[in-house]
Amino acid sequence: MSPRHHIRDELLAAYATGDLAEGWSLAVATHLALCPGCRGRLAKFEAAAGDMLEKIEPSEQSVDASWQDIRQRLSGQISSDRKPSGSVPSLKADKPRHDYVLPAPLRNYVGADADQLKWKSLGRGAYQVLVPTGDEETSVRLLRIPAGKPVPEHGHGGRELTLVLSGSFSDVTGRFSRGDLEDADETLEHKPVAGDEEDCICLAVTDAPLRFKSRLLRLVQPMLGI
Amino acid sequence: MTEDPEDMSRLIGAVARVQDVAAFETLFRHFGPRVKAYMMRHTRNLQTAEELMQETMMLVWNKATLFDPEKGNASTWIFTIARNTFISAYRKQNRPEFDPNDPAFVPDDVEPADVEFQNRQEAEMVRTALQDLPAEQRELVQRSFFGDVSHSDLAAEYGLPLGTVKSRIRMAIDKLRKSLGERR
Ligand SMILES: [Zn+2]
């Protein structure tokens, strides 16, 4: 079943242009692994960015000196063993499809699937695993909420992306199940509650102490009225 | 110098098949100064921009076999390499990406050939939409899309009221959004 809650245009555009910090990008990329529709939209944003590269005012500096440098670097490579830079090694498929709760790239970040992680108790039956990233702009965690229980407050005053990976949760904006991405800011008063059917595992990305810095987001936020 | 996207794709193909240096030189002379301008806007440092440009173009050379003209044109592919180089070499961050070989990956439900055809058509629409923008709108969008430039800096630079800059960018993005489709 395809997700019903998708990546907003401005978030996807910022991911496409490389203006999104790693933590937000992890939620976006993990949704993309589960959502063919958003992958199609991403391709269009990348095509637009490629087109802008084509039309950018080229650097006026002479390209000759650069070409001499490159020509030299190439001569070290030509006719030497050119390793076929073919497929990127992927994680071993030791489980059949659908058995993984965590798709790549998220699974690579935490090193194992959800049932093999060291979950830390948050009290009231809820657990979390912190997900390390290289940016200082976001904090990223996996949350496991017991079936039928509210999601514990995890202190965000800015933007929050929540991607459901297993089970579901509901709040005033609707019901979110596997693959669904909720994109909330501080104006949304949401008290999400996990569905009764099973524990809800989700990826939560929030603003770290620093504020959201993406140029493109600053650019489009006011005009999209978000 | 050739600028036809199809020719550019063929040049990458020649680099992939036979390490064609002449083909690569044509690519380099076309894309090198563009990638450098892109890096310049992000780093504001000539030497850094030059290094990142050379890094990008070396990757174009080394990864040419991975280029698939069915999936997009040369400028899109080279943009993604420049973007990833900027993120890893300059910003020192990872760029999380989906992995089509991952067992948990949900594949497209349409025949890939159809998707590719559709993507190419849509990419063409985007290109046309950008082409159709009045020059002053296109330039502002490009500057704010790729550069670390605030609206007020742009207004000062072009000697325009801030409101004019904002409304021009808004009109341009609206147009672009329409061509990108309103699906969500
Ligand atoms: Zn989606």
Side-chain angles (χ1 to χ4, degrees):
Chain A
M1 197 177 67
S2 276
R4 284 161 305 160
H5 299 273
H6 300 280
I7 309 165
R8 291 192 205 197
D9 277 345
E10 101 286 5
L11 198 60
L12 193 57
Y15 177 76
T17 55
D19 284 324
L20 203 57
E22 191 177 339
W24 310 111
S25 297
L26 181 57
V28 167
T30 305
H31 174 87
L32 289 169
L34 301 174
C35 185
C38 284
R39 291 199 298 270
R41 291 168 56 224
L42 174 68
K44 285 186 272 174
F45 278 112
E46 288 181 336
D51 210 61
M52 293 205 195
L53 181 67
E54 188 63 48
K55 299 204 185 66
I56 205 170
E57 185 74 37
S59 163
E60 283 170 5
Q61 288 192 307
S62 160
V63 71
D64 292 331
S66 307
W67 172 246
Q68 291 312 316
D69 283 359
I70 287 284
R71 187 71 191 80
Q72 203 134 46
R73 290 173 74 177
L74 291 186
S75 62
Q77 297 204 1
I78 295 172
S79 77
S80 72
D81 63 322
R82 179 173 204 191
K83 45 183 185 300
S85 44
S87 60
V88 185
S90 60
L91 293 169
K92 259 190 295 181
D94 49 4
K95 281 192 189 178
R97 178 191 302 271
H98 296 315
D99 270 16
Y100 281 117
V101 169
L102 310 182
L106 176 57
R107 200 166 72 255
N108 312 45
Y109 270 78
V110 290
D113 202 17
D115 56 358
Q116 284 144 29
L117 297 177
K118 292 199 175 77
W119 293 89
K120 298 250 159 50
S121 175
L122 291 169
R124 297 184 180 198
Y127 289 84
Q128 74 168 7
V129 172
L130 295 177
V131 181
T133 68
D135 81 64
E136 293 171 349
E137 185 179 322
T138 61
S139 59
V140 185
R141 68 200 69 212
L142 281 166
L143 291 170
R144 197 175 82 208
I145 315 303
K149 292 290 188 301
V151 177
E153 193 52 55
H154 37 279
H156 70 93
R159 186 169 203 148
E160 176 177 27
L161 293 180
T162 313
L163 176 69
V164 176
L165 297 156
S166 160
S168 70
F169 73 79
S170 299
D171 65 17
V172 289
T173 65
R175 182 167 182 272
F176 295 78
S177 46
R178 181 168 172 82
D180 285 334
L181 184 71
E182 178 166 72
D183 186 345
D185 64 18
E186 66 267 45
T187 63
L188 178 71
E189 206 180 308
H190 67 146
K191 293 270 182 292
V193 176
D196 286 328
E197 68 283 5
E198 59 175 317
D199 290 358
C200 175
I201 295 177
C202 54
L203 177 72
V205 185
T206 54
D207 279 308
L210 289 174
R211 293 287 302 175
F212 210 16
K213 288 187 300 191
S214 159
R215 293 182 292 281
L216 189 64
L217 276 166
R218 272 210 313 265
L219 164 74
V220 292
Q221 252 168 351
M223 55 182 91
L224 300 184
I226 46 171
Chain B
M1 179 184 305
T2 170
E3 291 194 14
D4 180 347
E6 302 236 329
D7 291 345
M8 289 293 164
S9 293
R10 270 195 286 276
L11 291 173
I12 299 177
V15 171
R17 279 192 313 277
V18 294
Q19 296 188 308
D20 184 331
V21 175
F24 187 64
E25 181 171 2
T26 306
L27 283 169
F28 187 89
R29 288 182 182 277
H30 181 73
F31 284 108
R34 287 173 168 77
V35 171
K36 189 167 172 181
Y38 167 80
M39 296 300 184
M40 193 59 201
R41 287 183 185 182
H42 278 85
T43 66
R44 312 207 158 220
N45 180 300
L46 261 179
Q47 197 191 330
T48 309
E50 173 73 25
E51 285 166 14
L52 291 170
M53 179 276 279
Q54 290 201 15
E55 210 47 53
T56 302
M57 295 310 290
M58 284 305 291
L59 285 169
V60 169
W61 170 265
N62 281 316
K63 291 183 171 217
T65 52
L66 297 179
F67 173 68
D68 179 355
E70 293 298 310
K71 284 191 179 147
N73 63 20
S75 57
T76 300
W77 185 65
I78 292 175
F79 164 75
T80 60
I81 293 177
R83 170 196 69 195
N84 295 355
T85 302
F86 171 73
I87 292 173
S88 62
Y90 184 78
R91 224 201 269 152
K92 312 277 186 220
Q93 287 184 13
N94 264 324
R95 178 179 163 84
E97 289 185 336
F98 59 82
D99 173 6
N101 297 314
D102 182 55
F105 180 81
V106 175
D108 296 350
D109 38 17
V110 199
E111 288 297 301
D114 291 349
V115 175
E116 276 159 18
F117 177 71
Q118 196 188 343
N119 283 349
R120 254 180 307 169
Q121 268 193 329
E122 286 168 339
E124 194 51 48
M125 277 164 49
V126 170
R127 203 155 298 126
T128 314
L130 271 171
Q131 214 85 263
D132 288 349
L133 289 177
E136 76 276 5
Q137 276 185 25
R138 195 168 60 219
E139 192 176 342
L140 284 172
V141 169
Q142 282 174 354
R143 295 284 310 271
S144 47
F145 209 68
F146 273 156
D148 193 3
V149 193
S150 71
H151 288 177
S152 42
D153 287 348
L154 284 175
E157 188 180 324
Y158 288 86
L160 293 167
L162 182 58
T164 308
V165 168
K166 284 190 170 177
S167 70
R168 278 186 191 172
I169 294 179
R170 181 181 301 122
M171 282 190 291
I173 297 249
D174 277 352
K175 202 158 183 179
L176 203 54
R177 268 169 56 84
K178 287 209 181 75
S179 70
L180 291 169
E182 301 280 54
R183 279 177 287 148
R184 38 180 79 200

